[in-house]
Amino acid sequence: MATIVGAITTSHVPAIGGAIAKNKQQDPYWKPSFFDGFPVAHQWLDKVRPDVAVVIYNDHGLNFFLDKMPTFAVGAAPEYCNADEGWGIPALPPHRGDLDLSWHLIESLIAEEFDLTTCQEMLIDHAFAIPMELLWPGPAPCPVRTVPVCINTVQFPLPTPARCFKLGAAIGRAIEFWDNDARVVIVGTGGLSHQLDGQRAGFLNKEFDLLFMDKLIDDPLWVTRYSIPDLVELTGTQGVELLMWLTARAALPGGVNKVHSNYHIPISNTAAALMVLESV
Ligand code: DHB
Ligand code: FE
């Protein structure tokens, strides 16, 4: 049976891709606050040696547009290419898929009554490609195979936190019953608080973010008390991307040990955070 080694959750700001492309990792804006958070994640990945990453993220209009918007979509492709949906950042290299885990996840989740969209072709946007580049920086090819799990946070209605928790828990159960000796890491990307448009553009909520990060460790169901409108009010229209963190945490089968966390306001318009949680 497969082993879930833990989860890494992080923000996915496109400007990070620009900083990497222009080699600005050592600049004062980026280094102490943002890139310095990652060496601990690299050391942890070296220790736990995952073979596969299940990457829970939200697409921003690249693979899915407003005309067709699945609530939940799972990739089942041999390879996932990155493209830029309009930020002007160069494309990162493609990621290898893991067809066996993709189909196992899809079959398990549909058997558990989740109505998924199955994608045998799937473009991945900055929300997938940039966190993966941060976790496994190039130029060496990314050493893990991947399965993308995409959750709609772009077009209302969005899935509730409770539904996302259940999806994450079902992903965790499916991986545990995968007849394979692979080591699996869950990656969740998005958030934390931010609002890119409208009257509250630039809105951040440090107090809520830090409480959310704290609760995610031992009481992840805490955030399910909030509705989507509550979360928009508390964290901003794009802050609801924290659902990816919740889903990733829910996939961990038991208790967790916090290996590391980092929080910095702002990177671009976003409260940028990173958390490494090890399954115990
Ligand atoms: C920004 C943050 C995001 O999560 C995103 O998807 C796009 C832009 C930002 O802060 O610039
Ligand atoms: Fe985003």
Side-chain angles (χ1 to χ4, degrees), residues 39-124:
V40 179
H42 298 154
Q43 284 158 20
W44 181 74
L45 287 168
D46 283 346
K47 187 186 92 174
V48 296
R49 293 173 291 100
D51 305 295
V52 193
V54 172
V55 184
I56 301 167
Y57 73 108
N58 60 288
D59 181 86
H60 300 73
L62 177 72
N63 195 68
F64 305 112
F65 201 60
L66 303 182
D67 56 338
K68 300 179 192 74
M69 184 57 69
T71 304
F72 302 127
V74 177
E79 185 178 74
Y80 302 97
C81 288
N82 173 225
D84 176 25
E85 77 274 17
W87 301 99
I89 46 178
L92 288 161
H95 280 271
R96 274 183 302 153
D98 185 317
L99 284 174
D100 194 46
L101 180 54
S102 283
W103 286 110
H104 173 74
L105 264 188
I106 290 163
E107 282 173 15
S108 305
L109 292 174
I110 289 182
E112 288 212 37
E113 303 178 353
F114 287 91
D115 303 313
L116 304 175
T117 297
T118 301
C119 302
Q120 297 188 60
E121 288 181 5
M122 196 174 193
L123 286 175
I124 46 170

Side-chain angles (χ1 to χ4, degrees), residues 1-249:
M1 295 295 126
T3 307
I4 301 177
V5 294
I8 301 186
T9 50
T10 177
S11 314
H12 61 218
V13 179
I16 302 164
I20 294 171
K22 292 179 191 141
N23 254 315
K24 288 192 170 168
Q25 290 96 323
Q26 301 301 320
D27 280 16
Y29 180 79
W30 292 102
K31 186 183 181 313
S33 46
F34 189 71
F35 284 103
D36 276 0
F38 281 84
V40 179
H42 298 154
Q43 284 158 20
W44 181 74
L45 287 168
D46 283 346
K47 187 186 92 174
V48 296
R49 293 173 291 100
D51 305 295
V52 193
V54 172
V55 184
I56 301 167
Y57 73 108
N58 60 288
D59 181 86
H60 300 73
L62 177 72
N63 195 68
F64 305 112
F65 201 60
L66 303 182
D67 56 338
K68 300 179 192 74
M69 184 57 69
T71 304
F72 302 127
V74 177
E79 185 178 74
Y80 302 97
C81 288
N82 173 225
D84 176 25
E85 77 274 17
W87 301 99
I89 46 178
L92 288 161
H95 280 271
R96 274 183 302 153
D98 185 317
L99 284 174
D100 194 46
L101 180 54
S102 283
W103 286 110
H104 173 74
L105 264 188
I106 290 163
E107 282 173 15
S108 305
L109 292 174
I110 289 182
E112 288 212 37
E113 303 178 353
F114 287 91
D115 303 313
L116 304 175
T117 297
T118 301
C119 302
Q120 297 188 60
E121 288 181 5
M122 196 174 193
L123 286 175
I124 46 170
D125 76 355
H126 70 271
F128 184 116
I130 289 176
M132 294 299 277
E133 177 65 18
L134 286 164
L135 295 174
W136 289 280
C142 181
V144 293
R145 306 183 298 278
T146 59
V147 176
V149 175
C150 185
I151 300 179
N152 168 35
T153 55
V154 170
Q155 170 146 282
F156 284 75
L158 313 187
T160 62
R163 185 71 176 148
C164 291
F165 188 93
K166 287 178 190 159
L167 177 74
I171 289 171
R173 279 191 294 277
I175 295 169
E176 285 202 302
F177 282 101
W178 184 31
D179 188 10
N180 193 298
D181 61 8
R183 297 167 67 76
V184 181
V185 65
I186 314 291
V187 176
T189 94
L192 290 179
S193 60
H194 62 302
Q195 172 144 347
L196 300 179
D197 43 27
Q199 284 186 340
R200 289 202 313 166
F203 175 81
L204 299 168
N205 187 344
K206 180 174 180 178
E207 197 185 336
F208 184 88
D209 288 339
L210 294 179
L211 184 58
F212 170 71
M213 288 171 80
D214 196 44
K215 292 286 187 189
L216 208 57
I217 300 165
D218 291 326
D219 184 16
L221 277 167
W222 168 81
V223 78
T224 64
R225 72 186 60 194
Y226 295 108
S227 67
I228 292 292
D230 288 341
L231 286 179
V232 168
E233 199 169 320
L234 284 163
T235 69
T237 41
Q238 281 77 32
V240 285
E241 291 177 350
L242 64 76
L243 292 174
M244 313 304 145
W245 290 48
L246 177 65
T247 310
R249 168 64 183 90

